Amino acid sequence: MAVNRRNFVLGTLGVGALLVGVGAWLRPGDRGGPYSDYFRALNKELREKGPMRPVLLIDLDRLDHNIDVVMQSVKRGGKQLRLVEKSLPSPGLLSYIAQRTGTQKLMSFHQPFLNHDAVTFAQSDILLGKPLPVRSAELFYQIHKGPFDPARQLQWLLDSPERLQQYLALAQGLGTRMRINIELDVGLHRGGVSDVNVLGQMLALISANPQHLQFSGFMGYDPFVGMGVPGILGSPEELFARVMVIYQRCVDFTRQQFPGLWHDGLCLNTAGSPSYRIHEKETLSTEVSVGTAMLKPTHYDLPSLVDHVPATYIATPVLKSTGAVNIPALDDKSKLFSWWDQNQRQTFFIYGGNWMAEFESPQGLQSNTVYGRSSNQEMVNGSNAVGLKIEDHVFLRPTQSEAVLLQFGDLLAVRGGKIVDTWAVYT
């Protein structure tokens, strides 16, 4: 147990201050409650068949719904779908979604995962989602084996003439040809090209070295369009219009100044989970990238994803139930906390904790910041109404997917409240 010292001191020395005006602070209606039918069924299944440790659940019924929402949008926009591997970091999960969507397009962000993809998804078309150090690219080629052909199936994402020169030297040394996709800064300002003079330098270098470099297209990532920025900075429609002006300028420049590099088969990638749907309104790009929207963790509770539903949860068993909150050194004085806050009238210690996640069920659970967070046995408090027993499960919604999904070992796929499959995650 890692005690938060600052909060512990405040709690130990300032109990009287906490109770000043307590009548105004009491929250008689904030009591939480027991499981909904959905989580009651999951808890029953996990008590009977689960591993009795923290697990990451993927609800296939909800996932299917989200996949269908994405594909309806992709078809309306006349585009193709590229799955973002880092947000769905499990070969089984990716295979499931790829089969339902009918796509073989992946976006990879990590050299070890890229090597894994090239073996597991040997027929795929892979676009890097960020520029990797040239040493990472060299390691990919050193490790790679199998039928996947990087010269045809892999696009390296590059963001500057300097990095392109490094990749050219690597391609020359390996005696291979690399497909080069150029990262555009369409407003995110996280690197990439927006100046056509810089773009011209990169295209000239590609054009001068056709035996080692091949222009494959552009990638313009624009999640801020759908992330709900303050209205004073622009509406989603206004931000989207600015994105497309930059993208169109780069396309027009390339077609006019380097017509020999332009052809209909180029990959004009754009979007991201928060913004993919707004791209139904444009015909310039050829594909959208989507990952996290398939699972909808809490950070993606956005107006642009209102039709998506949460499809992933952390479930972890209750190890101990110790009654009203009891803070070290306060001992009997701790009862003041449970008198003040009825959501501290029951204390549970769960298996693990301190994840990037928010409590979902039973309702009304909360971490105890005075006691401190723990990744081993976290204290969780609730009211008498939550009704948890030892070996019942606490359910949490991850705040994101790409890191959280990697922390629990095999994912448990559930359908209709029943465990139907297990999927390994990337390592």
Side-chain angles (χ1 to χ4, degrees):
M1 186 272 291
V3 174
N4 183 319
R5 293 184 179 180
R6 177 178 179 275
N7 287 331
F8 180 78
V9 170
L10 288 174
T12 304
L13 301 181
V15 175
L18 286 173
L19 297 175
V20 173
V22 69
W25 293 356
L26 286 173
R27 297 174 292 175
D30 187 12
R31 296 183 303 168
Y35 296 121
S36 65
D37 290 344
Y38 175 80
F39 288 105
R40 186 178 299 109
L42 286 175
N43 181 58
K44 182 176 184 294
E45 177 74 357
L46 290 169
R47 285 187 66 110
E48 294 175 355
K49 299 179 182 178
M52 276 297 162
R53 57 171 173 78
V55 293
L56 200 295
L57 306 177
I58 304 293
D59 186 310
L60 299 183
D61 298 309
R62 295 184 173 203
L63 176 59
D64 287 350
H65 168 86
N66 293 338
I67 292 171
D68 294 345
V69 170
V70 170
M71 289 311 298
Q72 289 162 11
S73 174
V74 169
K75 291 176 181 177
R76 284 194 298 268
K79 303 189 187 303
Q80 296 178 311
L81 172 66
R82 188 174 294 275
L83 298 178
V84 179
E85 157 237 83
K86 72 174 176 61
S87 304
L88 306 163
S90 161
L93 176 59
L94 276 171
S95 294
Y96 181 91
I97 298 174
Q99 183 174 0
R100 190 172 178 91
T101 59
T103 188
Q104 292 185 324
K105 294 177 177 287
L106 297 178
M107 180 175 282
S108 182
F109 291 76
H110 185 44
Q111 175 262 312
F113 292 1
L114 176 61
N115 279 100
H116 193 289
D117 291 337
V119 173
T120 305
F121 304 102
Q123 303 304 313
S124 63
D125 174 274
I126 303 176
L127 168 64
L128 269 294
K130 64 186 177 189
L132 295 183
V134 70
R135 173 60 177 156
S136 295
E138 183 180 15
L139 286 172
F140 166 78
Y141 286 104
Q142 289 177 357
I143 295 170
H144 175 60
K145 296 178 181 178
F148 179 89
D149 182 3
R152 293 186 304 103
Q153 297 173 256
L154 179 60
Q155 301 178 63
W156 295 102
L157 186 73
L158 299 185
D159 60 335
S160 69
E162 294 76 18
R163 203 187 304 266
L164 179 58
Q165 187 68 60
Q166 293 176 338
Y167 272 68
L168 171 59
L170 177 60
Q172 291 169 334
L174 294 174
T176 191
R177 191 185 197 198
M178 294 182 175
R179 300 170 72 206
I180 304 300
N181 192 296
I182 296 177
E183 181 181 24
L184 301 181
D185 179 5
V186 293
L188 184 60
H189 306 322
R190 194 176 64 182
V193 177
S194 59
D195 185 334
V196 293
N197 293 319
V198 176
L199 176 58
Q201 295 176 42
M202 297 182 71
L203 293 174
L205 191 58
I206 294 172
S207 184
N209 294 275
Q211 70 276 34
H212 295 300
L213 301 176
Q214 178 185 6
F215 176 61
S216 67
F218 293 124
M219 190 275 275
Y221 180 47
D222 59 9
F224 57 93
V225 170
M227 291 296 286
V229 301
I232 193 172
L233 301 179
S235 68
E237 290 73 21
E238 291 169 334
L239 295 174
F240 175 64
R242 296 177 203 168
V243 165
M244 296 314 301
V245 165
I246 297 171
Y247 209 130
Q248 185 71 61
R249 181 170 69 240
C250 294
V251 167
D252 291 343
F253 175 84
T254 305
R255 298 183 70 172
Q256 294 164 9
Q257 301 299 318
F258 297 88
L261 297 180
W262 194 266
H263 58 87
D264 290 341
L266 292 175
C267 167
L268 301 180
N269 178 274
T270 190
S273 284
S275 60
Y276 80 91
R277 297 190 71 172
I278 201 168
H279 282 275
E280 295 177 26
K281 300 179 179 180
E282 53 89 5
T283 58
L284 178 63
S285 67
T286 60
E287 62 177 47
V288 292
S289 296
V290 180
T292 307
M294 298 294 189
L295 300 176
K296 198 180 182 181
T298 63
H299 284 181
Y300 286 72
D301 286 342
L302 303 168
S304 61
L305 297 176
V306 67
D307 292 333
H308 289 245
V309 295
T312 184
Y313 296 100
I314 297 167
T316 190
V318 173
L319 298 178
K320 304 167 186 176
S321 177
T322 59
V325 64
N326 196 353
I327 303 296
L330 285 178
D331 299 326
D332 290 344
K333 298 182 181 65
S334 298
K335 66 181 64 174
L336 296 173
F337 286 96
S338 57
W339 173 67
W340 165 64
D341 182 0
Q342 58 190 322
N343 280 353
Q344 297 192 51
R345 292 177 183 171
Q346 292 296 326
T347 300
F348 310 99
F349 288 90
I350 60 174
Y351 195 145
N354 201 22
W355 297 293
M356 296 173 61
E358 298 175 7
F359 292 105
E360 182 73 13
S361 185
Q363 293 183 358
L365 296 178
Q366 58 191 26
S367 296
N368 193 302
T369 55
V370 176
Y371 190 87
R373 305 299 302 272
S374 171
S375 299
N376 174 40
Q377 298 180 70
E378 182 153 20
M379 177 192 278
V380 178
N381 296 124
S383 73
N384 293 327
V386 299
L388 280 173
K389 301 182 295 295
I390 291 175
E391 296 188 2
D392 279 340
H393 286 72
V394 170
F395 296 90
L396 306 92
R397 268 184 79 194
T399 58
Q400 57 143 272
S401 63
E402 58 197 63
V404 178
L405 265 68
L406 296 173
Q407 297 178 15
F408 298 89
D410 290 354
L411 309 178
L412 295 188
V414 299
R415 189 182 294 281
K418 303 293 184 181
I419 300 169
V420 296
D421 208 346
T422 59
W423 292 329
V425 296
Y426 283 91
T427 56

